[in-house]
Amino acid sequence: MLRIAVQKSGRLSEDSFRLIKECGIHFNNGVGKLKASSHNFPMEFLLLRDDDIPGYVADGVADVGIVGLNVVEEKEKDLDIVVKLGFSKCRLSLAIPRNEEYEGLKMLEGKSIATSYPKILGSYLKKNGISSDIHEISGSVEIAPSIGLADAVCDIVSSGSTLLSNGLKEVETIFTSEAVLVAHKGLGAEKKKLLEQLLFRIRSVQNGSNNKYILLNAPNHKIEEIASLLPGMRSPTVLPLATEGWSSIHSVINEDRFWEIIEKLKEAGAEGILVVPIEKMIL
Ligand code: ATP
Ligand code: ZN
């Protein structure tokens, strides 16, 4: 049985549960329950506050966990970071009152900075030769300057709107984060095998969402040119259409190259292009 720690409710929860579901792992989590298990994969869920996840995984109470890299870094626990998950992307930034001119980090020398991330901030300031008074608070960091608690803040930002509405402006990004899968360092052989299975499924889901299945029609004399634009998994599938002299070409293309390739395909004479999502992709 692989025990996974997941945030009970918060900014990681929805996407964590969605990923697990996309991996084909079903489970029921009753309202308010702290534990759940799956009936189709040997997995047990611990539903926790995100701050507790690195500690639980480091201690081996949970075998793996889904948590923000920011929390992993701050907690300084000895863990394996197995894979980046691509959601809950955010950054840890320094912000100062909006009406102040930013003159570089040196202006924070001797000033007080409120944060929930004293370790990440501390090592950033040290690396940059700045000594400030770090004021650790656990929530609502962004109001600290307006109530006279600190001169600046170091907080999680995604769009920056919370900072703006509190009269602050972002001046330096000190850490970038996303959700990661972490694992206990000393997993036994059985658990390692389950982790490999989970990882295989996660990669299939990730490959699927990074790629699209493409179908198009083309006159036969254009097949070679079009096939060269579509690398596909091996080579494109070519099927004859009922209309003489025409074929249907199927392949897979990467999301990042999508628009660039579509343009070239049209120029090469492709018609009736369909692009459909891929649920899972096994390489
Ligand atoms: P808990 O009650 O579990 O302690 P929390 O209030 O500490 O939750 P959340 O606000 O749910 O934490 O954020 C969890 C994680 O999601 C953060 O540590 C960070 O990695 C990421 N995160 C935070 N804010 C954002 C945001 N605005 N956009 C995207 N991801 C975010
Ligand atoms: Zn938290």
Side-chain angles (χ1 to χ4, degrees):
M1 180 90 88
L2 194 70
R3 261 195 170 178
I4 185 167
V6 179
Q7 188 189 26
K8 185 169 167 46
S9 73
R11 291 198 153 104
L12 290 158
S13 313
E14 198 181 312
D15 287 326
S16 304
F17 293 131
R18 180 185 307 134
L19 176 66
I20 290 164
K21 215 171 118 192
E22 284 172 347
C23 288
I25 300 171
H26 300 164
F27 68 100
N28 296 315
N29 65 324
V31 183
K33 283 209 326 199
L34 300 178
K35 250 169 75 169
S37 53
S38 170
H39 57 83
N40 68 350
F41 191 85
M43 182 177 269
E44 188 172 50
F45 299 82
L46 297 184
L47 307 172
L48 305 169
R49 285 200 56 184
D50 68 337
D51 314 67
D52 296 331
I53 294 175
Y56 275 55
V57 175
D59 294 347
V61 174
D63 304 311
V64 295
I66 297 177
V67 65
L69 198 54
N70 52 318
V71 173
V72 176
E73 182 83 4
E74 181 64 26
K75 298 293 174 186
E76 297 183 330
K77 302 282 183 189
D78 200 16
L79 296 169
D80 280 333
I81 295 171
V82 184
V83 63
K84 291 187 175 180
L85 299 173
F87 59 81
S88 299
K89 287 191 174 172
C90 59
R91 54 193 189 271
L92 193 59
S93 292
L94 283 165
I96 62 169
R98 202 163 40 179
N99 54 16
E100 278 178 29
E101 181 111 24
Y102 184 62
E103 290 154 355
L105 263 187
K106 60 181 187 312
M107 72 182 281
L108 294 173
E109 177 71 36
K111 296 285 177 61
S112 65
I113 309 175
T115 189
S116 307
Y117 295 88
K119 287 184 178 157
I120 299 179
L121 176 60
S123 66
Y124 176 82
L125 292 175
K126 194 170 165 207
K127 201 176 69 196
N128 286 282
I130 306 287
S131 104
S132 310
D133 174 21
I134 298 178
H135 206 100
E136 182 178 357
I137 48 179
S138 60
S140 304
V141 170
E142 63 284 353
I143 63 162
S146 64
I147 60 172
L149 191 67
D151 302 307
V153 304
C154 171
D155 203 8
I156 293 287
V157 183
S158 60
S159 70
S161 59
T162 310
L163 289 180
L164 276 182
S165 63
N166 283 283
L168 299 171
K169 64 179 174 191
E170 186 177 0
V171 292
E172 298 280 351
T173 296
I174 74 165
F175 190 80
T176 53
S177 179
E178 66 183 271
V180 291
L181 182 76
V182 292
H184 180 66
K185 285 235 163 184
L187 288 184
E190 286 278 301
K191 302 225 184 217
K192 264 193 187 149
K193 209 169 134 195
L194 289 174
L195 174 56
E196 279 308 315
Q197 287 176 17
L198 175 66
L199 210 53
F200 177 78
R201 294 187 186 196
I202 290 175
R203 293 206 174 105
S204 306
V205 171
Q206 287 180 334
N207 288 334
S209 60
N210 290 337
N211 290 281
K212 298 274 180 271
Y213 193 75
I214 179 165
L215 305 89
L216 57 88
N217 295 332
N220 287 345
H221 67 277
K222 292 283 190 180
I223 291 175
E224 212 169 310
E225 185 182 347
I226 289 176
S228 71
L229 295 169
L230 293 170
M233 293 221 269
R234 193 173 293 274
S235 67
T237 306
V238 179
L239 300 167
L241 289 187
T243 308
E244 187 77 25
W246 280 74
S247 294
S248 168
I249 303 176
H250 300 193
S251 190
V252 170
I253 59 174
N254 193 280
E255 179 91 311
D256 295 340
R257 299 197 51 209
F258 182 79
W259 292 109
E260 177 201 331
I261 291 182
I262 294 290
E263 280 307 314
K264 289 188 179 148
L265 290 172
K266 275 170 56 188
E267 281 164 24
E271 290 181 10
I273 304 174
L274 296 180
V275 178
V276 290
I278 296 173
E279 194 180 285
K280 304 203 175 52
M281 182 164 152
I282 322 294
L283 295 173

PDB file of all heavy atoms in Angstrom, residues 7 49-51, ligand 2:
ATOM      1  N   GLN A   7      -3.002  17.781   0.129  1.00  0.00           N
ATOM      2  CA  GLN A   7      -3.607  18.885   0.886  1.00  0.00           C
ATOM      3  C   GLN A   7      -5.121  18.682   0.973  1.00  0.00           C
ATOM      4  O   GLN A   7      -5.792  18.420  -0.023  1.00  0.00           O
ATOM      5  CB  GLN A   7      -3.319  20.229   0.196  1.00  0.00           C
ATOM      6  CG  GLN A   7      -3.757  21.415   1.062  1.00  0.00           C
ATOM      7  CD  GLN A   7      -3.683  22.748   0.323  1.00  0.00           C
ATOM      8  OE1 GLN A   7      -3.778  22.788  -0.903  1.00  0.00           O
ATOM      9  NE2 GLN A   7      -3.527  23.819   1.080  1.00  0.00           N
ATOM     10  N   ARG A  49      -2.886  19.483   6.142  1.00  0.00           N
ATOM     11  CA  ARG A  49      -2.500  20.863   5.792  1.00  0.00           C
ATOM     12  C   ARG A  49      -1.206  20.765   5.009  1.00  0.00           C
ATOM     13  O   ARG A  49      -0.334  19.951   5.330  1.00  0.00           O
ATOM     14  CB  ARG A  49      -2.264  21.680   7.066  1.00  0.00           C
ATOM     15  CG  ARG A  49      -3.539  22.079   7.755  1.00  0.00           C
ATOM     16  CD  ARG A  49      -3.275  23.254   8.665  1.00  0.00           C
ATOM     17  NE  ARG A  49      -2.686  24.367   7.909  1.00  0.00           N
ATOM     18  CZ  ARG A  49      -2.283  25.501   8.465  1.00  0.00           C
ATOM     19  NH1 ARG A  49      -2.368  25.668   9.758  1.00  0.00           N
ATOM     20  NH2 ARG A  49      -1.772  26.467   7.723  1.00  0.00           N
ATOM     21  N   ASP A  50      -1.059  21.606   4.004  1.00  0.00           N
ATOM     22  CA  ASP A  50       0.125  21.478   3.139  1.00  0.00           C
ATOM     23  C   ASP A  50       1.434  21.607   3.923  1.00  0.00           C
ATOM     24  O   ASP A  50       2.406  20.919   3.627  1.00  0.00           O
ATOM     25  CB  ASP A  50       0.069  22.477   1.969  1.00  0.00           C
ATOM     26  CG  ASP A  50       0.222  23.920   2.412  1.00  0.00           C
ATOM     27  OD1 ASP A  50      -0.062  24.231   3.592  1.00  0.00           O
ATOM     28  OD2 ASP A  50       0.640  24.739   1.571  1.00  0.00           O
ATOM     29  N   ASP A  51       1.439  22.451   4.950  1.00  0.00           N
ATOM     30  CA  ASP A  51       2.670  22.685   5.720  1.00  0.00           C
ATOM     31  C   ASP A  51       3.185  21.422   6.408  1.00  0.00           C
ATOM     32  O   ASP A  51       4.364  21.299   6.709  1.00  0.00           O
ATOM     33  CB  ASP A  51       2.428  23.735   6.804  1.00  0.00           C
ATOM     34  CG  ASP A  51       1.675  24.933   6.268  1.00  0.00           C
ATOM     35  OD1 ASP A  51       0.479  24.769   5.897  1.00  0.00           O
ATOM     36  OD2 ASP A  51       2.273  26.001   6.196  1.00  0.00           O
TER      37      ASP A  51
HETATM   38 ZN    ZN B   2      -0.410  25.963   4.683  1.00  0.00          ZN
END
